[in-house]
Structures are given as structure tokens and as C-alpha cells.
């Protein structure tokens, strides 16, 4: 509404829109370099903290100065033709400032893409939901700004990202066909016997159609649980028994 006014004590961040896309001006610091200007694309659909574009990473030597894991991972495996496809290494940013909003010790992604959004030099990074969900966020379109009200989660250290080592792609009309679109070599999923292009058709005697993609992903992060997977591999059906263990993608 035109007469709406924010009356809380949250941090106000200017949010100019460029062609309808919300950006924010920030500075970041890494070891030996401080106050690097960065144009951030605000993307609450990104299920991570931040993904830095390859041109920005290279121009500011971020992989060398702030890299934590140089092994490239592809969280969007199987979506190679999509504009926001990712191929990333991992790093940690000491500090990001958006006006008065200050974030410290953030695990992030450094893109290695040569095409698509993350090969662009139009912005430095996407700013995602793993940061947004630490706050109550108000988007004031009329005044071109965002307001960040901290929740108790805002002061907690960022959690280490861990993985079973498998990337799943949901397809079909009901998005209940789950295909293994990527595997991390040597990770628990690989050791358990999963293979790229496997289709998970059942878990513990339940049809895969009983799960959502998020439920299946959550199941594969619950350390110590044992599950029996029924997998379609070409023309044959394979049973995989797996104890869920996870490995860090930060190191």
C-alpha cells in the first residue's frame, strides 16, 4: 500500500532495480584484501549463501585468497542448458557489508562457469536464501529497499555444508521421477553403488512417488540411518543398501 511505513528497528538496505532485477551494493573482505566493491543480485530462490561469478572471482583472485576446496562440484547437474547452471569451487568470505548489514565468515561458492549467468561480468554474486532465512525480510518496492530484521539465527555461525555425494533431478509431470544427475567421486553415494543416470523408484519399500524431492534430499543427509533403495538402471532393477554418511564440501 502507498501509505505503508516500516516502523521496526531492522537494517535498511537500498535495493535499486535494474530492468526489474533487484541488486544491492556491497563491499567484501578476504585475507589481504578489504572493501572490494561488489554488485549483488538478490535471489531468495538460491538455496545457498552466495555464488560468485567467474569473472569476479578471477578479477579479485578469490579462489587463491579465500578458497577452501578447489574441487569443482555441480549442484545443478543435469541442468546444463539452464542459464543459472552452476559449476563451483568453495571458499569463505571474511566479511560482507550491505550498508549497515554486516555478515562474517560466510561459506560461499566460486563459479567456474564459462557460459550462463555465472560467466557474466554484470554482477559479482547472487545473494541467497541461506542468508535470507536468518532474518525477517521486508521488500519495500515503492522505496526500493529491503529491511533485514535479525532472528536468533542471525548470530549463529554458518553451518558446514555436507553431502551424501549425489545430485538428484526431479522430472515428470508430478516431479516424482528422481534421476541421479551427478555423483561426487569417492563420496558415500559413490561407495554405496549409485551410478549416474540411475532412477530411484523406491525407498524402504515405499514407491518414490510417495516422496518429494526435498524429502528425499533430507533423507540422504540424516547421518547414521540405513535405507534400502530400489533403482532402475537401464533395463534392470538394482537394490542398493546404504548407511547414510556425509562428507564436507567445504574442504
Amino acid at each position: 500500500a502507498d501509505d505503508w511505513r516500516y516502523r521496526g528497528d531492522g537494517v535498511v538496505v537500498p535495493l535499486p532495480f535494474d530492468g526489474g532485477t533487484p541488486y544491492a551494493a556491497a563491499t567484501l573482505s578476504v585475507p589481504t584484501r578489504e572493501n572490494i566493491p561488489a554488485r549483488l543480485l538478490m535471489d531468495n530462490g538460491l538455496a545457498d549463501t552466495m555464488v560468485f561469478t567467474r569473472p569476479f572471482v578471477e578479477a579479485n583472485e578469490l579462489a587463491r585468497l579465500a578458497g577452501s576446496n578447489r574441487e569443482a562440484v555441480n549442484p545443478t547437474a543435469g541442468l546444463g542448458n539452464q542459464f543459472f547452471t552452476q559449476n563451483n569451487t568453495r571458499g569463505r568470505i571474511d566479511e560482507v557489508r550491505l550498508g549497515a548489514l554486516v555478515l562474517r565468515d560466510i561459506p560461499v561458492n566460486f563459479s567456474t562457469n564459462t557460459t550462463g549467468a555465472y560467466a557474466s561480468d554484470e554482477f559479482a554474486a547472487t545473494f541467497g536464501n541461506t542468508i535470507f532465512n536468518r532474518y525477517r525480510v521486508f521488500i519495500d518496492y515503492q522505496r526500493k529497499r529491503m529491511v533485514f530484521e535479525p532472528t536468533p539465527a542471525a548470530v549463529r555461525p554458518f553451518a558446514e555444508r555436507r553431502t551424501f555425494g549425489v545430485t538428484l533431478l526431479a522430472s515428470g509431470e508430478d516431479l516424482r521421477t528422481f534421476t541421479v544427475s551427478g555423483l561426487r567421486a569417492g563420496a558415500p553415494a559413490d561407495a554405496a553403488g549409485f551410478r549416474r543416470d540411475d532412477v530411484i523408484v523406491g525407498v524402504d519399500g515405499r514407491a518414490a512417488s510417495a516422496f518429494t524431492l526435498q524429502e528425499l534430499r533430507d533423507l540422504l543427509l540424516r547421518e547414521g540411518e540405513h535405507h534400502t533403495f530400489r533403482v532402475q538402471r537401464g533395463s534392470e532393477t538394482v537394490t542398493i543398501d546404504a548407511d547414510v554418511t556425509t562428507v564436507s564440501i567445504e574442504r
Side-chain angles (χ1 to χ4, degrees):
D2 291 345
D3 59 352
W4 182 83
R5 295 288 187 278
Y6 176 75
R7 294 179 174 84
D9 57 1
V11 177
V12 175
V13 174
L15 192 69
F17 286 83
D18 183 352
T21 302
Y23 292 96
T27 60
L28 59 95
S29 297
V30 296
T32 74
R33 293 197 64 186
E34 297 183 347
N35 300 319
I36 304 169
R39 188 186 193 215
L40 304 183
L41 191 161
M42 311 303 276
D43 181 8
N44 62 9
L46 173 68
D48 209 323
T49 53
M50 303 174 73
V51 181
F52 284 84
T53 64
R54 181 186 54 80
F56 188 85
V57 170
E58 292 177 351
N60 294 283
E61 299 183 277
L62 294 186
R64 180 178 68 84
L65 296 175
S68 60
N69 186 348
R70 294 179 182 271
E71 180 184 351
V73 296
N74 184 353
T76 54
L79 300 177
N81 294 324
Q82 299 298 314
F83 190 57
F84 278 92
T85 294
Q86 296 178 39
N87 292 280
N88 306 323
T89 62
R90 294 290 284 182
R92 296 190 80 90
I93 301 298
D94 288 349
E95 182 179 275
V96 174
R97 288 182 176 269
L98 294 90
L101 183 68
V102 182
L103 305 162
R104 293 187 173 90
D105 195 23
I106 312 167
V108 300
N109 298 293
F110 295 147
S111 178
T112 61
N113 282 30
T114 57
T115 61
Y118 292 112
S120 170
D121 58 5
E122 294 297 315
F123 62 99
T126 47
F127 185 96
N129 197 48
T130 302
I131 298 175
F132 282 120
N133 65 18
R134 298 160 71 90
Y135 300 85
R136 287 181 291 271
V137 180
F138 300 84
I139 303 177
D140 186 348
Y141 289 97
Q142 183 177 1
R143 297 168 185 83
K144 297 182 179 179
R145 63 182 188 170
M146 299 182 82
V147 182
F148 291 78
E149 281 188 355
T151 70
V155 297
R156 296 175 191 153
F158 285 93
E160 179 184 53
R161 282 281 306 281
R162 300 187 66 82
T163 180
F164 183 58
V166 62
T167 300
L168 298 176
L169 178 67
S171 61
E173 290 185 3
D174 59 356
L175 296 178
R176 300 297 173 99
T177 299
F178 304 116
T179 303
V180 175
S181 57
L183 278 170
R184 188 183 180 97
D190 185 22
F194 285 94
R195 297 294 178 262
R196 187 180 175 93
D197 297 325
D198 282 353
V199 177
I200 297 175
V201 294
V203 183
D204 298 334
R206 298 172 61 195
S209 58
F211 296 87
T212 65
L213 179 61
Q214 189 58 56
E215 288 168 342
L216 195 52
R217 285 173 171 168
D218 290 345
L219 179 147
L220 292 173
L221 290 174
R222 295 203 288 266
E223 290 268 2
E225 292 190 358
H226 178 86
H227 297 286
T228 299
F229 297 88
R230 193 159 52 90
V231 168
Q232 192 69 36
R233 182 176 294 165
S235 60
E236 80 176 304
T237 301
V238 177
T239 297
I240 297 175
D241 287 301
D243 294 312
V244 176
T245 57
T246 61
V247 293
S248 172
I249 68 170
E250 310 296 350
R251 298 185 296 275

